[in-house]
Structure formats: structure tokens, C-alpha cells
Amino acid sequence: MKFKYLLTLFLMSGCFVMAQTKPILIENVRLLDLKAARLTAPMHVLVSGSTIQKISATAITVDKDAVKINGGGKTLMPGLIDVHVHMTFGTFTMAQLMGEDLTEEFLVRKIGESAQQMLLRGFTSVRDAGGPIFPLKTAIDAGKLVGPRIWPSGAVVSQTAGHGDFRAPNERSRRFFGKPSRAEQVGATFIADGRDDVLTAVRENLRFGASQIKLMAGGGTSSAYDPIDVTQYTLDEMKAAVEAASDWGTY
């Protein structure tokens, strides 16, 4: 069957939240049979919590409080996972993110709108590869906002003048002048030089709840100061980051 005829049914918004407390019966949907490499005839699927309880070609009887969804013969598929996304950097320009009037409330609200759109595109889980994301994850986990499950990296860890050094030209290093850059204040980056600074930055992200660490080890197109082809961080600095993450049981 040509791709354009494959229609997809996703569980979104209220139904996505209710799945935690009420059974969901999805009726009249086709499933991909991987062994036969074809779509099935219309089936019925019962979901309880995060578990698929039953798949049947015949009607499934459920309690009256169950949520029923008629799939209309469309294809039911698992949620997609985006393993490299920057939900904050994809919502705001760097100039907007560095603005002095940016508040956490506004940041969460705007990224929350993007998160809901991502869920509606079928992505039920994302690995956020750097940026101020913890407040949004907290809001989604608490059911205050609708969005995908987030595995956060937190602030990217970058050397001075590296791929994660988002300072304005007039911002000087806090190491010499004592004031964190705006990017560090909003949780977009940790500028860390030397083994000790890298250890601290990684451990700080882990303390905030990072499920993995984003270390900027080379140049990139979105940073103003570094050539794209340069190597960043010494081997000893990178080892420090790996050791700290490994000690925490992650990467």
C-alpha cells in the first residue's frame, strides 16, 4: 500500500492523560503485522495504563467508565521517538532566549505550545539534546501541560568559545569578571573549562534531573565564535564528563 494511503491514529490531549487512570478501547483500527508484512483487517485494542491488555478481531467488552475511540479503519501505530531535538532552541531564536525580559512562565508556555504540536505529530517521547527544558518537563509530568515524555539533557556543556558559548560579544568570562552570562542564567549552557569545571557542570545537570549529558566536542553552525571543523575539549576534559555521567549510571 502506498504511503499516502496509510492514515495514522494517535492518542492525544485528554485521551493521552486519561490513559493513566481509565482503560482505553480503540475500535476498528488496522495494525501492522510484521511477520506477514501487511496491515491486518480492522481490530480492537484495549489499553490499560501503559499496557496493551488485549488485541482482538472481535468486539471487546469493557466497563462503562472506559474511554472508547472509534479508529474509523485507520492504522494504529506506536508513538514515535525523536532522539535528538532541541525544544527550546527550536522555539526561540537565540536573541529572544537571551532577552533580559524573558520569564520562566513565558518560556514554559511557548515551549509548551511546541510540545503539544510535537505530540500531535505523533512523537510521544523525545530526547532533548540541550537547553533549558526542566520546567517544561516538570509541567508535562505533573499533567499541567500536554506534551511528549521528555528525556532532558539540561544545559549544554561547552568550553569557552565553543559550540555552546552563546555570549554576546560584550559579555566577558565569569571566571575573570564574576558574572554568569545570560545563556548560563537561563539554563541554556554551562561554560566549563578544565577537568574540575566539567565535573561540576555535569554533576549540576544530573542534580537537576538530566537523563543524559550533552557535551559540545566540536564546532557547529549555530555558534558565533568557533570554526565548524575544530576539535573542542581535551581528552582529559571529555573523560571527566564521561566519568561523572557513568558514575550516575548514564552517558
Side-chain angles (χ1 to χ4, degrees), residues 2 48 52 62 67 85 126 129 131 150 185 191 194 202 211 246 251:
K2 293 183 179 180
S48 179
I52 297 175
V62 293
V67 177
V85 65
V126 299
I150 297 174
Q185 292 176 31
I191 300 176
V202 171
S211 53
S246 180
Y251 59 96

Side-chain angles (χ1 to χ4, degrees), residues 150-232:
I150 297 174
W151 295 302
S153 299
V156 301
V157 182
S158 170
Q159 69 175 42
T160 296
H163 186 37
D165 189 340
F166 304 127
R167 288 177 294 162
N170 63 332
E171 287 186 291
R172 298 187 178 186
S173 171
R174 59 175 165 75
R175 179 181 291 275
F176 301 111
F177 299 93
K179 181 181 178 181
S181 68
R182 179 61 180 162
E184 291 174 292
Q185 292 176 31
V186 300
T189 187
F190 279 127
I191 300 176
D193 296 292
R195 180 180 178 85
D196 289 347
D197 267 11
V198 171
L199 283 172
T200 301
V202 171
R203 289 168 177 166
E204 190 76 349
N205 266 335
L206 294 170
R207 183 180 74 89
F208 286 141
S211 53
Q212 67 282 323
I213 297 299
K214 178 62 176 288
L215 186 75
M216 299 300 206
T221 58
S222 62
S223 43
Y225 309 112
D226 54 329
I228 194 171
D229 59 345
V230 299
T231 298
Q232 298 177 12

